[in-house]
Amino acid sequence: MVGEVGTRVRELIRQVCREQEVEILSGSVSKDHVHVFLSIPPKVTISRLVQRMKGFSSYKLMLEFKHLEKAFWGRHLWGRGYFCVSSGQVTDEVIKAYIENQAVEEEGNFKVVT
C-alpha cells in the first residue's frame, strides 16, 4: 500500500475514526501493514472498529483502484487478524516513536510509505 493507495488508506481510516469519535494519536501505512495508535471511547469496541476499518477500506479501495481488484480477485485485501494492545506497560511516547520510525511521507501524525 504505497503511493496513492497508501494515501487513500490513510484517508479511509481517518474517516472511520471520525465517524466513531476515535482519536488517531499516531499512524503509519506501510507496504504490507498499517500501524495506528488510537484513543478509543468506552462505547466503541475494538473488534468492531477494526472490522469497520478493514471492511470499509477494502470495499472503497477495490472500487477505486482496478489494479487491486484484479490482484485480489477472489481473495481478501486485508489479513484475517489484527494485533491490539493497550498502553500502560509501555509508555505512549515509546509507541509513538515506534510508529513514527515506520514511514517516510508525513501528514500530521499519520504517515504513508512512498
Side-chain angles (χ1 to χ4, degrees):
M1 291 180 252
V2 296
E4 290 180 10
V5 175
T7 302
R8 187 64 175 137
V9 166
R10 176 177 59 195
E11 292 170 4
L12 295 169
I13 290 174
R14 283 179 170 162
Q15 181 179 342
V16 170
C17 287
R18 268 192 310 274
E19 292 168 359
Q20 299 295 312
E21 300 175 5
V22 170
E23 180 184 359
I24 299 173
L25 302 174
S26 186
S28 172
V29 177
S30 298
K31 184 176 90 172
D32 59 356
H33 64 280
V34 175
H35 290 120
V36 285
F37 183 37
L38 308 171
S39 177
I40 303 174
K43 67 181 181 178
V44 176
T45 61
I46 294 167
S47 60
R48 297 281 172 146
L49 177 64
V50 172
Q51 179 183 26
R52 177 82 174 133
M53 282 184 197
K54 291 167 82 172
F56 181 69
S57 63
S58 177
Y59 175 76
K60 297 295 272 184
L61 291 170
M62 294 291 193
L63 286 177
E64 296 172 16
F65 297 96
K66 295 303 176 190
H67 70 280
L68 290 178
E69 185 179 39
K70 290 178 184 176
F72 290 97
W73 184 81
R75 300 180 315 168
H76 297 284
L77 178 65
W78 295 107
R80 288 179 45 179
Y82 63 94
F83 175 76
C84 174
V85 64
S86 61
S87 63
Q89 295 292 331
V90 177
T91 66
D92 292 356
E93 290 75 26
V94 170
I95 295 170
K96 286 180 184 178
Y98 174 78
I99 291 173
E100 288 171 3
N101 289 321
Q102 299 296 309
V104 292
E105 180 193 307
E106 189 169 351
E107 182 182 301
N109 59 350
F110 205 158
K111 301 176 181 187
V112 177
V113 170
T114 55

